Amino acid sequence: DFYVGVYPFMGSTSVKYSNGQYEINTVIPATQKYAENSFGQESLVMVGVSQEPSFSFKNVGTILIFPLKGNATIKSATLVSGKSNIAGKAVVTVSNL
Protein backbone atom coordinates (compact mmCIF):
# COMPACT_ATOMS: atom_id res chain seq x y z
CA ASP A 1 0.00 0.00 0.00
CA PHE A 2 1.06 3.58 -0.67
CA TYR A 3 0.46 6.82 1.19
CA VAL A 4 -0.98 9.69 -0.86
CA GLY A 5 -0.94 13.31 0.26
CA VAL A 6 -2.39 16.43 -1.33
CA TYR A 7 -1.73 19.99 -0.14
CA PRO A 8 -3.75 22.04 0.44
CA PHE A 9 -6.34 19.49 1.46
CA MET A 10 -9.86 20.11 0.17
CA GLY A 11 -12.88 18.02 1.02
CA SER A 12 -13.60 17.49 -2.68
CA THR A 13 -10.19 15.91 -3.37
CA SER A 14 -10.36 12.25 -4.35
CA VAL A 15 -7.77 9.58 -5.17
CA LYS A 16 -8.25 6.51 -7.38
CA TYR A 17 -5.76 3.73 -8.04
CA SER A 18 -5.79 1.72 -11.26
CA ASN A 19 -3.19 -0.11 -13.37
CA GLY A 20 -0.19 1.13 -11.38
CA GLN A 21 -1.27 4.79 -11.42
CA TYR A 22 -2.79 7.12 -8.88
CA GLU A 23 -5.32 9.61 -10.25
CA ILE A 24 -5.71 12.58 -7.91
CA ASN A 25 -8.69 14.87 -8.53
CA THR A 26 -8.30 18.24 -6.83
CA VAL A 27 -8.71 21.98 -7.43
CA ILE A 28 -6.11 24.62 -8.26
CA PRO A 29 -7.27 27.76 -6.40
CA ALA A 30 -8.23 30.74 -8.59
CA THR A 31 -7.05 33.13 -5.87
CA GLN A 32 -3.68 32.63 -4.23
CA LYS A 33 -2.38 34.73 -1.36
CA TYR A 34 0.98 36.45 -1.23
CA ALA A 35 3.33 36.17 1.72
CA GLU A 36 6.33 38.47 2.03
CA ASN A 37 9.58 36.71 1.07
CA SER A 38 7.73 33.42 0.61
CA PHE A 39 4.69 31.80 -0.93
CA GLY A 40 1.27 32.28 0.57
CA GLN A 41 -0.13 29.52 2.72
CA GLU A 42 -2.13 27.03 0.63
CA SER A 43 -1.12 28.80 -2.60
CA LEU A 44 0.63 25.93 -4.37
CA VAL A 45 -0.99 22.57 -5.05
CA MET A 46 1.43 19.77 -4.20
CA VAL A 47 1.13 15.97 -4.15
CA GLY A 48 3.19 13.16 -2.67
CA VAL A 49 2.99 9.38 -3.06
CA SER A 50 5.24 6.93 -1.20
CA GLN A 51 5.39 3.57 0.52
CA GLU A 52 6.61 5.37 3.64
CA PRO A 53 4.35 7.49 5.88
CA SER A 54 6.96 10.27 5.72
CA PHE A 55 7.49 11.64 2.22
CA SER A 56 8.14 14.75 0.14
CA PHE A 57 5.59 16.75 -1.78
CA LYS A 58 6.14 17.94 -5.36
CA ASN A 59 4.54 20.96 -7.01
CA VAL A 60 1.79 20.16 -9.49
CA GLY A 61 2.43 23.22 -11.64
CA THR A 62 4.87 26.01 -12.10
CA ILE A 63 5.61 28.93 -9.82
CA LEU A 64 5.29 32.44 -11.18
CA ILE A 65 7.42 35.18 -9.72
CA PHE A 66 6.80 38.87 -10.34
CA PRO A 67 10.00 40.75 -9.49
CA LEU A 68 9.02 44.31 -8.60
CA LYS A 69 11.32 47.24 -7.94
CA GLY A 70 10.55 50.60 -6.42
CA ASN A 71 8.36 51.71 -3.58
CA ALA A 72 4.88 51.52 -5.11
CA THR A 73 2.19 49.36 -3.51
CA ILE A 74 0.62 46.59 -5.61
CA LYS A 75 -2.83 45.68 -4.31
CA SER A 76 -3.46 42.80 -6.72
CA ALA A 77 -2.15 41.09 -9.83
CA THR A 78 -4.20 38.98 -12.22
CA LEU A 79 -2.91 36.32 -14.60
CA VAL A 80 -5.25 35.16 -17.36
CA SER A 81 -4.68 32.51 -20.02
CA GLY A 82 -6.43 32.80 -23.35
CA LYS A 83 -5.96 29.15 -24.33
CA SER A 84 -6.51 27.01 -21.24
CA ASN A 85 -7.64 27.10 -17.65
CA ILE A 86 -4.99 27.90 -15.07
CA ALA A 87 -7.28 27.36 -12.11
CA GLY A 88 -10.19 25.10 -11.23
CA LYS A 89 -10.58 21.33 -11.38
CA ALA A 90 -7.34 19.44 -11.99
CA VAL A 91 -6.38 15.80 -12.43
CA VAL A 92 -2.86 14.73 -11.42
CA THR A 93 -1.65 11.29 -12.50
CA VAL A 94 1.24 9.73 -10.56
CA SER A 95 2.94 6.67 -12.01
CA ASN A 96 6.36 4.96 -12.07
CA LEU A 97 6.47 4.66 -8.28
Side-chain angles (χ1 to χ4, degrees), residues 9-79:
F9 174 77
M10 295 177 209
S12 62
T13 297
S14 65
V15 178
K16 295 178 186 174
Y17 177 80
S18 177
N19 298 321
Q21 294 184 331
Y22 285 90
E23 180 182 289
I24 302 166
N25 290 275
T26 190
V27 175
I28 296 174
T31 301
Q32 299 183 8
K33 297 178 182 177
Y34 169 78
E36 188 173 351
N37 298 319
S38 184
F39 301 103
Q41 186 176 1
E42 299 182 352
S43 65
L44 301 172
V45 175
M46 297 183 284
V47 300
V49 178
S50 176
Q51 287 182 304
E52 302 297 324
S54 176
F55 56 89
S56 300
F57 284 86
K58 296 189 183 223
N59 292 322
V60 169
T62 187
I63 298 171
L64 296 176
I65 298 174
F66 298 98
L68 304 172
K69 296 181 180 182
N71 57 4
T73 299
I74 305 295
K75 293 190 179 190
S76 70
T78 303
L79 175 68

